[in-house]
Amino acid sequence: MASHSRPVGRPRDEAIDASILDAARQLLAEQGMEALTVVAVAERAGTTRPAVYRRYGSIIELAVAAIAATRDALEPPV
């Protein structure tokens, strides 16, 4: 049998990835960790809860990714 390396389903939309991270960063900056819920992030990002859960297994993973993305954006190029 031939092995297929093509992923199943349609490719993820990178715009949604960015919207989710932006929404998480905004909520963290404005209201802190208490405001960071999957529902709040999905609403602000203009997407659905399942879209957030497909990308992040927990709200902690999302918070870490949002903080890391912020740090990466602020670091000067070497």
Side-chain angles (χ1 to χ4, degrees):
M1 266 199 213
S3 175
H4 297 283
S5 62
R6 189 178 78 192
V8 177
R10 65 182 163 162
R12 285 212 181 124
D13 186 340
E14 290 182 19
I16 293 174
D17 295 345
S19 294
I20 289 170
L21 283 177
D22 287 343
R25 281 194 301 255
Q26 290 170 10
L27 286 166
L28 283 169
E30 293 169 6
Q31 302 172 28
M33 190 65 188
E34 298 81 25
L36 194 66
T37 65
V38 172
V39 171
V41 170
E43 286 176 359
R44 187 168 289 207
T47 192
T48 63
R49 291 180 312 156
V52 176
Y53 281 119
R54 273 193 292 281
R55 289 158 175 84
Y56 302 97
S58 71
I59 202 68
I60 298 300
E61 281 183 37
L62 175 54
V64 169
I67 293 166
T70 300
R71 184 197 68 217
D72 293 343
L74 295 176
E75 286 183 0
V78 178

